[in-house]
Amino acid sequence: MADEVQRLLHYLAEHYTGREEAKDLERSSAGLEEHEIAVEQRRVMRREHQLADKLARAFERGLRRAYEASRAGGNAITLDDRKRDENEMAEALIHFLVGPGLAKSISRETEPMHYQYIISIDWDALARVARDAQVDLAALLEDR
């Protein structure tokens, strides 16, 4: 299933997170030549793909944790940045789902400079994106 996770993350990078960064770069690139903007936009997309690869396992763990919570009747998961694995899951879910509007996140300070993130995923919206990415989200979530 790792391939399915990476396919979904790369799709999100191409169509959501990377695209938004590339647009922001274009808007704030006063004084740059068109070819310089294009070079920077390609760099942004490479960085997004690298981040997708780096966070794939954490994304999958967080997604499955959220799915299990939803199956148990919950609508959110809580992740604590003081725990390394939970911090990585929060980073992955927030970057690839909250940023594009496929999930919501609320943070609560637990101690100075440390937070708990309460993340709820819009499963219908994520399922639509997964279909567009040709990823079987149900199979990805059910596979063990």
Side-chain angles (χ1 to χ4, degrees):
M1 264 316 125
D3 291 343
E4 293 289 294
V5 171
Q6 285 190 301
R7 186 178 323 144
L8 178 58
L9 286 173
H10 281 263
Y11 184 88
L12 288 165
E14 285 288 326
H15 294 89
Y16 292 91
T17 59
R19 182 176 284 180
E20 283 306 308
E21 280 194 55
K23 286 180 190 175
D24 288 345
L25 178 69
E26 194 171 320
R27 284 190 287 268
S28 65
S29 62
L32 289 180
E33 297 290 325
E34 201 170 307
H35 74 279
E36 293 172 310
I37 295 169
V39 166
E40 284 303 306
Q41 287 175 327
R42 284 192 299 276
R43 185 187 59 74
V44 162
M45 291 306 255
R46 269 194 314 276
R47 190 178 70 233
E48 279 299 305
H49 283 276
Q50 289 169 344
L51 187 60
D53 293 340
K54 175 186 169 198
L55 295 176
R57 287 182 47 84
F59 181 84
E60 182 177 10
R61 286 192 320 271
L63 200 61
R64 286 188 180 193
R65 185 167 169 174
Y67 178 69
E68 290 301 321
S70 74
R71 287 188 60 185
N75 63 353
I77 57 171
T78 301
L79 301 169
D80 190 328
D81 76 353
R82 294 170 293 185
K83 298 176 183 173
R84 185 173 184 233
D85 64 324
E86 290 187 17
N87 188 51
E88 289 173 352
M89 285 186 266
E91 179 184 359
L93 294 175
I94 290 168
H95 184 79
F96 288 103
L97 297 181
V98 174
L102 302 170
K104 291 187 168 94
S105 174
I106 300 168
S107 61
R108 159 172 80 210
E109 192 168 32
T110 54
E111 58 186 61
M113 302 303 293
H114 287 285
Y115 300 88
Q116 285 185 328
Y117 299 95
I118 302 158
I119 300 170
S120 60
I121 297 174
D122 181 340
W123 292 105
D124 292 334
L126 182 57
R128 284 190 297 275
V129 170
R131 273 192 305 277
D132 292 344
Q134 299 181 341
V135 170
D136 185 345
L137 185 62
L140 186 155
L141 294 169
E142 294 291 337
D143 182 52
R144 292 285 166 201

PDB file of all heavy atoms in Angstrom, residues 17 55 59 79 87-107 116-119:
ATOM      1  N   THR A  17      -0.841  21.327  -2.800  1.00  0.00           N
ATOM      2  CA  THR A  17       0.167  22.038  -2.002  1.00  0.00           C
ATOM      3  C   THR A  17       1.242  22.693  -2.862  1.00  0.00           C
ATOM      4  O   THR A  17       1.561  23.862  -2.667  1.00  0.00           O
ATOM      5  CB  THR A  17       0.815  21.094  -0.964  1.00  0.00           C
ATOM      6  OG1 THR A  17       1.434  19.993  -1.638  1.00  0.00           O
ATOM      7  CG2 THR A  17      -0.205  20.593   0.029  1.00  0.00           C
ATOM      8  N   LEU A  55       7.376  12.093   4.260  1.00  0.00           N
ATOM      9  CA  LEU A  55       6.280  11.991   5.221  1.00  0.00           C
ATOM     10  C   LEU A  55       5.278  10.881   4.898  1.00  0.00           C
ATOM     11  O   LEU A  55       4.265  10.749   5.595  1.00  0.00           O
ATOM     12  CB  LEU A  55       5.542  13.334   5.309  1.00  0.00           C
ATOM     13  CG  LEU A  55       6.351  14.497   5.871  1.00  0.00           C
ATOM     14  CD1 LEU A  55       5.545  15.786   5.812  1.00  0.00           C
ATOM     15  CD2 LEU A  55       6.820  14.200   7.290  1.00  0.00           C
ATOM     16  N   PHE A  59       2.156   9.957   7.176  1.00  0.00           N
ATOM     17  CA  PHE A  59       0.849  10.269   6.609  1.00  0.00           C
ATOM     18  C   PHE A  59      -0.057   9.035   6.667  1.00  0.00           C
ATOM     19  O   PHE A  59      -1.207   9.114   7.100  1.00  0.00           O
ATOM     20  CB  PHE A  59       1.009  10.750   5.161  1.00  0.00           C
ATOM     21  CG  PHE A  59      -0.280  11.114   4.498  1.00  0.00           C
ATOM     22  CD1 PHE A  59      -0.838  12.368   4.679  1.00  0.00           C
ATOM     23  CD2 PHE A  59      -0.935  10.210   3.673  1.00  0.00           C
ATOM     24  CE1 PHE A  59      -2.040  12.712   4.049  1.00  0.00           C
ATOM     25  CE2 PHE A  59      -2.130  10.534   3.043  1.00  0.00           C
ATOM     26  CZ  PHE A  59      -2.683  11.796   3.243  1.00  0.00           C
ATOM     27  N   LEU A  79      -3.174  14.598  18.272  1.00  0.00           N
ATOM     28  CA  LEU A  79      -1.763  14.256  18.133  1.00  0.00           C
ATOM     29  C   LEU A  79      -0.940  15.255  18.941  1.00  0.00           C
ATOM     30  O   LEU A  79      -1.187  16.457  18.883  1.00  0.00           O
ATOM     31  CB  LEU A  79      -1.356  14.280  16.657  1.00  0.00           C
ATOM     32  CG  LEU A  79      -2.144  13.323  15.758  1.00  0.00           C
ATOM     33  CD1 LEU A  79      -1.860  13.605  14.290  1.00  0.00           C
ATOM     34  CD2 LEU A  79      -1.818  11.880  16.102  1.00  0.00           C
ATOM     35  N   ASN A  87       4.019  13.823  16.239  1.00  0.00           N
ATOM     36  CA  ASN A  87       4.398  15.093  15.624  1.00  0.00           C
ATOM     37  C   ASN A  87       4.557  14.929  14.109  1.00  0.00           C
ATOM     38  O   ASN A  87       4.102  15.778  13.334  1.00  0.00           O
ATOM     39  CB  ASN A  87       5.686  15.629  16.243  1.00  0.00           C
ATOM     40  CG  ASN A  87       6.003  17.018  15.779  1.00  0.00           C
ATOM     41  OD1 ASN A  87       5.173  17.917  15.839  1.00  0.00           O
ATOM     42  ND2 ASN A  87       7.224  17.214  15.283  1.00  0.00           N
ATOM     43  N   GLU A  88       5.163  13.812  13.689  1.00  0.00           N
ATOM     44  CA  GLU A  88       5.321  13.546  12.254  1.00  0.00           C
ATOM     45  C   GLU A  88       3.964  13.332  11.581  1.00  0.00           C
ATOM     46  O   GLU A  88       3.736  13.814  10.472  1.00  0.00           O
ATOM     47  CB  GLU A  88       6.224  12.334  12.035  1.00  0.00           C
ATOM     48  CG  GLU A  88       7.673  12.604  12.373  1.00  0.00           C
ATOM     49  CD  GLU A  88       8.542  11.357  12.330  1.00  0.00           C
ATOM     50  OE1 GLU A  88       8.000  10.228  12.177  1.00  0.00           O
ATOM     51  OE2 GLU A  88       9.762  11.502  12.454  1.00  0.00           O
ATOM     52  N   MET A  89       3.071  12.605  12.258  1.00  0.00           N
ATOM     53  CA  MET A  89       1.733  12.406  11.690  1.00  0.00           C
ATOM     54  C   MET A  89       1.018  13.750  11.546  1.00  0.00           C
ATOM     55  O   MET A  89       0.385  14.012  10.515  1.00  0.00           O
ATOM     56  CB  MET A  89       0.895  11.473  12.579  1.00  0.00           C
ATOM     57  CG  MET A  89       1.268  10.016  12.476  1.00  0.00           C
ATOM     58  SD  MET A  89       0.115   8.976  13.410  1.00  0.00           S
ATOM     59  CE  MET A  89       0.977   8.831  14.966  1.00  0.00           C
ATOM     60  N   ALA A  90       1.114  14.576  12.575  1.00  0.00           N
ATOM     61  CA  ALA A  90       0.467  15.894  12.530  1.00  0.00           C
ATOM     62  C   ALA A  90       1.039  16.727  11.383  1.00  0.00           C
ATOM     63  O   ALA A  90       0.283  17.340  10.620  1.00  0.00           O
ATOM     64  CB  ALA A  90       0.629  16.624  13.857  1.00  0.00           C
ATOM     65  N   GLU A  91       2.348  16.733  11.254  1.00  0.00           N
ATOM     66  CA  GLU A  91       2.980  17.498  10.172  1.00  0.00           C
ATOM     67  C   GLU A  91       2.467  17.036   8.811  1.00  0.00           C
ATOM     68  O   GLU A  91       2.101  17.856   7.961  1.00  0.00           O
ATOM     69  CB  GLU A  91       4.501  17.347  10.227  1.00  0.00           C
ATOM     70  CG  GLU A  91       5.224  18.093   9.128  1.00  0.00           C
ATOM     71  CD  GLU A  91       6.726  17.863   9.120  1.00  0.00           C
ATOM     72  OE1 GLU A  91       7.254  17.130   9.979  1.00  0.00           O
ATOM     73  OE2 GLU A  91       7.375  18.420   8.217  1.00  0.00           O
ATOM     74  N   ALA A  92       2.409  15.728   8.608  1.00  0.00           N
ATOM     75  CA  ALA A  92       1.972  15.179   7.318  1.00  0.00           C
ATOM     76  C   ALA A  92       0.505  15.496   7.045  1.00  0.00           C
ATOM     77  O   ALA A  92       0.153  15.964   5.958  1.00  0.00           O
ATOM     78  CB  ALA A  92       2.209  13.672   7.295  1.00  0.00           C
ATOM     79  N   LEU A  93      -0.349  15.250   8.016  1.00  0.00           N
ATOM     80  CA  LEU A  93      -1.780  15.483   7.814  1.00  0.00           C
ATOM     81  C   LEU A  93      -2.089  16.961   7.632  1.00  0.00           C
ATOM     82  O   LEU A  93      -2.896  17.332   6.779  1.00  0.00           O
ATOM     83  CB  LEU A  93      -2.584  14.902   8.981  1.00  0.00           C
ATOM     84  CG  LEU A  93      -2.548  13.385   9.128  1.00  0.00           C
ATOM     85  CD1 LEU A  93      -3.277  12.954  10.397  1.00  0.00           C
ATOM     86  CD2 LEU A  93      -3.127  12.688   7.904  1.00  0.00           C
ATOM     87  N   ILE A  94      -1.456  17.791   8.430  1.00  0.00           N
ATOM     88  CA  ILE A  94      -1.715  19.232   8.318  1.00  0.00           C
ATOM     89  C   ILE A  94      -1.232  19.762   6.975  1.00  0.00           C
ATOM     90  O   ILE A  94      -1.944  20.498   6.292  1.00  0.00           O
ATOM     91  CB  ILE A  94      -1.099  19.996   9.507  1.00  0.00           C
ATOM     92  CG1 ILE A  94      -1.887  19.662  10.791  1.00  0.00           C
ATOM     93  CG2 ILE A  94      -1.070  21.497   9.244  1.00  0.00           C
ATOM     94  CD1 ILE A  94      -1.231  20.123  12.075  1.00  0.00           C
ATOM     95  N   HIS A  95      -0.041  19.374   6.582  1.00  0.00           N
ATOM     96  CA  HIS A  95       0.493  19.897   5.319  1.00  0.00           C
ATOM     97  C   HIS A  95      -0.329  19.428   4.119  1.00  0.00           C
ATOM     98  O   HIS A  95      -0.700  20.248   3.276  1.00  0.00           O
ATOM     99  CB  HIS A  95       1.953  19.484   5.140  1.00  0.00           C
ATOM    100  CG  HIS A  95       2.569  20.080   3.922  1.00  0.00           C
ATOM    101  ND1 HIS A  95       3.011  21.379   3.867  1.00  0.00           N
ATOM    102  CD2 HIS A  95       2.772  19.572   2.681  1.00  0.00           C
ATOM    103  CE1 HIS A  95       3.481  21.642   2.665  1.00  0.00           C
ATOM    104  NE2 HIS A  95       3.341  20.560   1.922  1.00  0.00           N
ATOM    105  N   PHE A  96      -0.598  18.129   4.048  1.00  0.00           N
ATOM    106  CA  PHE A  96      -1.213  17.586   2.837  1.00  0.00           C
ATOM    107  C   PHE A  96      -2.734  17.556   2.848  1.00  0.00           C
ATOM    108  O   PHE A  96      -3.344  17.424   1.794  1.00  0.00           O
ATOM    109  CB  PHE A  96      -0.652  16.193   2.535  1.00  0.00           C
ATOM    110  CG  PHE A  96       0.761  16.254   2.030  1.00  0.00           C
ATOM    111  CD1 PHE A  96       1.815  15.943   2.852  1.00  0.00           C
ATOM    112  CD2 PHE A  96       1.030  16.659   0.734  1.00  0.00           C
ATOM    113  CE1 PHE A  96       3.127  16.023   2.401  1.00  0.00           C
ATOM    114  CE2 PHE A  96       2.329  16.748   0.266  1.00  0.00           C
ATOM    115  CZ  PHE A  96       3.386  16.428   1.100  1.00  0.00           C
ATOM    116  N   LEU A  97      -3.357  17.686   4.022  1.00  0.00           N
ATOM    117  CA  LEU A  97      -4.816  17.659   4.062  1.00  0.00           C
ATOM    118  C   LEU A  97      -5.425  18.963   4.559  1.00  0.00           C
ATOM    119  O   LEU A  97      -6.390  19.447   3.982  1.00  0.00           O
ATOM    120  CB  LEU A  97      -5.314  16.491   4.932  1.00  0.00           C
ATOM    121  CG  LEU A  97      -4.955  15.092   4.437  1.00  0.00           C
ATOM    122  CD1 LEU A  97      -5.524  14.041   5.381  1.00  0.00           C
ATOM    123  CD2 LEU A  97      -5.425  14.861   3.019  1.00  0.00           C
ATOM    124  N   VAL A  98      -4.895  19.521   5.624  1.00  0.00           N
ATOM    125  CA  VAL A  98      -5.478  20.754   6.162  1.00  0.00           C
ATOM    126  C   VAL A  98      -5.233  21.909   5.195  1.00  0.00           C
ATOM    127  O   VAL A  98      -6.153  22.660   4.871  1.00  0.00           O
ATOM    128  CB  VAL A  98      -4.939  21.071   7.573  1.00  0.00           C
ATOM    129  CG1 VAL A  98      -5.438  22.423   8.056  1.00  0.00           C
ATOM    130  CG2 VAL A  98      -5.351  19.972   8.562  1.00  0.00           C
ATOM    131  N   GLY A  99      -4.004  22.035   4.724  1.00  0.00           N
ATOM    132  CA  GLY A  99      -3.683  23.105   3.779  1.00  0.00           C
ATOM    133  C   GLY A  99      -4.630  23.151   2.588  1.00  0.00           C
ATOM    134  O   GLY A  99      -5.173  24.202   2.259  1.00  0.00           O
ATOM    135  N   PRO A 100      -4.873  22.021   1.929  1.00  0.00           N
ATOM    136  CA  PRO A 100      -5.789  22.002   0.782  1.00  0.00           C
ATOM    137  C   PRO A 100      -7.276  22.000   1.144  1.00  0.00           C
ATOM    138  O   PRO A 100      -8.126  21.945   0.268  1.00  0.00           O
ATOM    139  CB  PRO A 100      -5.433  20.695   0.062  1.00  0.00           C
ATOM    140  CG  PRO A 100      -4.107  20.295   0.563  1.00  0.00           C
ATOM    141  CD  PRO A 100      -4.008  20.827   1.954  1.00  0.00           C
ATOM    142  N   GLY A 101      -7.612  22.022   2.424  1.00  0.00           N
ATOM    143  CA  GLY A 101      -9.012  22.070   2.818  1.00  0.00           C
ATOM    144  C   GLY A 101      -9.690  20.714   2.890  1.00  0.00           C
ATOM    145  O   GLY A 101     -10.915  20.627   2.889  1.00  0.00           O
ATOM    146  N   LEU A 102      -8.909  19.649   2.971  1.00  0.00           N
ATOM    147  CA  LEU A 102      -9.454  18.293   3.052  1.00  0.00           C
ATOM    148  C   LEU A 102      -9.581  17.822   4.500  1.00  0.00           C
ATOM    149  O   LEU A 102     -10.052  16.711   4.754  1.00  0.00           O
ATOM    150  CB  LEU A 102      -8.577  17.326   2.258  1.00  0.00           C
ATOM    151  CG  LEU A 102      -8.417  17.678   0.783  1.00  0.00           C
ATOM    152  CD1 LEU A 102      -7.349  16.816   0.137  1.00  0.00           C
ATOM    153  CD2 LEU A 102      -9.749  17.546   0.057  1.00  0.00           C
ATOM    154  N   ALA A 103      -9.134  18.647   5.419  1.00  0.00           N
ATOM    155  CA  ALA A 103      -9.225  18.350   6.856  1.00  0.00           C
ATOM    156  C   ALA A 103      -9.177  19.679   7.599  1.00  0.00           C
ATOM    157  O   ALA A 103      -8.820  20.715   7.030  1.00  0.00           O
ATOM    158  CB  ALA A 103      -8.077  17.446   7.299  1.00  0.00           C
ATOM    159  N   LYS A 104      -9.535  19.614   8.868  1.00  0.00           N
ATOM    160  CA  LYS A 104      -9.466  20.788   9.735  1.00  0.00           C
ATOM    161  C   LYS A 104      -8.581  20.449  10.921  1.00  0.00           C
ATOM    162  O   LYS A 104      -8.515  19.292  11.350  1.00  0.00           O
ATOM    163  CB  LYS A 104     -10.854  21.181  10.212  1.00  0.00           C
ATOM    164  CG  LYS A 104     -11.726  21.732   9.115  1.00  0.00           C
ATOM    165  CD  LYS A 104     -13.029  22.265   9.677  1.00  0.00           C
ATOM    166  CE  LYS A 104     -13.742  23.066   8.641  1.00  0.00           C
ATOM    167  NZ  LYS A 104     -14.701  22.423   7.845  1.00  0.00           N
ATOM    168  N   SER A 105      -7.931  21.471  11.455  1.00  0.00           N
ATOM    169  CA  SER A 105      -7.055  21.266  12.599  1.00  0.00           C
ATOM    170  C   SER A 105      -7.214  22.410  13.585  1.00  0.00           C
ATOM    171  O   SER A 105      -7.323  23.570  13.185  1.00  0.00           O
ATOM    172  CB  SER A 105      -5.592  21.202  12.138  1.00  0.00           C
ATOM    173  OG  SER A 105      -4.730  21.131  13.241  1.00  0.00           O
ATOM    174  N   ILE A 106      -7.232  22.052  14.840  1.00  0.00           N
ATOM    175  CA  ILE A 106      -7.227  23.024  15.933  1.00  0.00           C
ATOM    176  C   ILE A 106      -6.023  22.664  16.794  1.00  0.00           C
ATOM    177  O   ILE A 106      -5.758  21.484  17.041  1.00  0.00           O
ATOM    178  CB  ILE A 106      -8.514  22.917  16.778  1.00  0.00           C
ATOM    179  CG1 ILE A 106      -9.742  23.180  15.924  1.00  0.00           C
ATOM    180  CG2 ILE A 106      -8.462  23.864  17.975  1.00  0.00           C
ATOM    181  CD1 ILE A 106     -11.044  22.818  16.610  1.00  0.00           C
ATOM    182  N   SER A 107      -5.293  23.663  17.232  1.00  0.00           N
ATOM    183  CA  SER A 107      -4.163  23.375  18.114  1.00  0.00           C
ATOM    184  C   SER A 107      -4.438  23.930  19.502  1.00  0.00           C
ATOM    185  O   SER A 107      -5.151  24.919  19.665  1.00  0.00           O
ATOM    186  CB  SER A 107      -2.872  23.956  17.548  1.00  0.00           C
ATOM    187  OG  SER A 107      -2.972  25.343  17.423  1.00  0.00           O
ATOM    188  N   GLN A 116      -0.961  20.178  21.147  1.00  0.00           N
ATOM    189  CA  GLN A 116      -1.745  19.044  20.691  1.00  0.00           C
ATOM    190  C   GLN A 116      -2.535  19.545  19.487  1.00  0.00           C
ATOM    191  O   GLN A 116      -3.037  20.674  19.506  1.00  0.00           O
ATOM    192  CB  GLN A 116      -2.715  18.560  21.764  1.00  0.00           C
ATOM    193  CG  GLN A 116      -2.057  17.804  22.869  1.00  0.00           C
ATOM    194  CD  GLN A 116      -3.073  17.244  23.843  1.00  0.00           C
ATOM    195  OE1 GLN A 116      -4.125  17.834  24.064  1.00  0.00           O
ATOM    196  NE2 GLN A 116      -2.751  16.100  24.424  1.00  0.00           N
ATOM    197  N   TYR A 117      -2.604  18.700  18.477  1.00  0.00           N
ATOM    198  CA  TYR A 117      -3.346  19.043  17.269  1.00  0.00           C
ATOM    199  C   TYR A 117      -4.555  18.120  17.181  1.00  0.00           C
ATOM    200  O   TYR A 117      -4.409  16.900  17.212  1.00  0.00           O
ATOM    201  CB  TYR A 117      -2.464  18.875  16.030  1.00  0.00           C
ATOM    202  CG  TYR A 117      -1.256  19.762  16.068  1.00  0.00           C
ATOM    203  CD1 TYR A 117      -0.029  19.284  16.543  1.00  0.00           C
ATOM    204  CD2 TYR A 117      -1.341  21.090  15.672  1.00  0.00           C
ATOM    205  CE1 TYR A 117       1.079  20.112  16.596  1.00  0.00           C
ATOM    206  CE2 TYR A 117      -0.229  21.921  15.723  1.00  0.00           C
ATOM    207  CZ  TYR A 117       0.967  21.428  16.191  1.00  0.00           C
ATOM    208  OH  TYR A 117       2.058  22.238  16.253  1.00  0.00           O
ATOM    209  N   ILE A 118      -5.710  18.709  17.075  1.00  0.00           N
ATOM    210  CA  ILE A 118      -6.944  17.960  16.922  1.00  0.00           C
ATOM    211  C   ILE A 118      -7.313  18.068  15.444  1.00  0.00           C
ATOM    212  O   ILE A 118      -7.583  19.160  14.942  1.00  0.00           O
ATOM    213  CB  ILE A 118      -8.047  18.524  17.832  1.00  0.00           C
ATOM    214  CG1 ILE A 118      -7.562  18.479  19.281  1.00  0.00           C
ATOM    215  CG2 ILE A 118      -9.345  17.740  17.650  1.00  0.00           C
ATOM    216  CD1 ILE A 118      -8.267  19.435  20.198  1.00  0.00           C
ATOM    217  N   ILE A 119      -7.276  16.925  14.767  1.00  0.00           N
ATOM    218  CA  ILE A 119      -7.428  16.902  13.310  1.00  0.00           C
ATOM    219  C   ILE A 119      -8.657  16.084  12.933  1.00  0.00           C
ATOM    220  O   ILE A 119      -8.814  14.948  13.379  1.00  0.00           O
ATOM    221  CB  ILE A 119      -6.169  16.313  12.644  1.00  0.00           C
ATOM    222  CG1 ILE A 119      -4.949  17.166  13.007  1.00  0.00           C
ATOM    223  CG2 ILE A 119      -6.353  16.202  11.126  1.00  0.00           C
ATOM    224  CD1 ILE A 119      -3.620  16.570  12.604  1.00  0.00           C
TER     225      ILE A 119
END
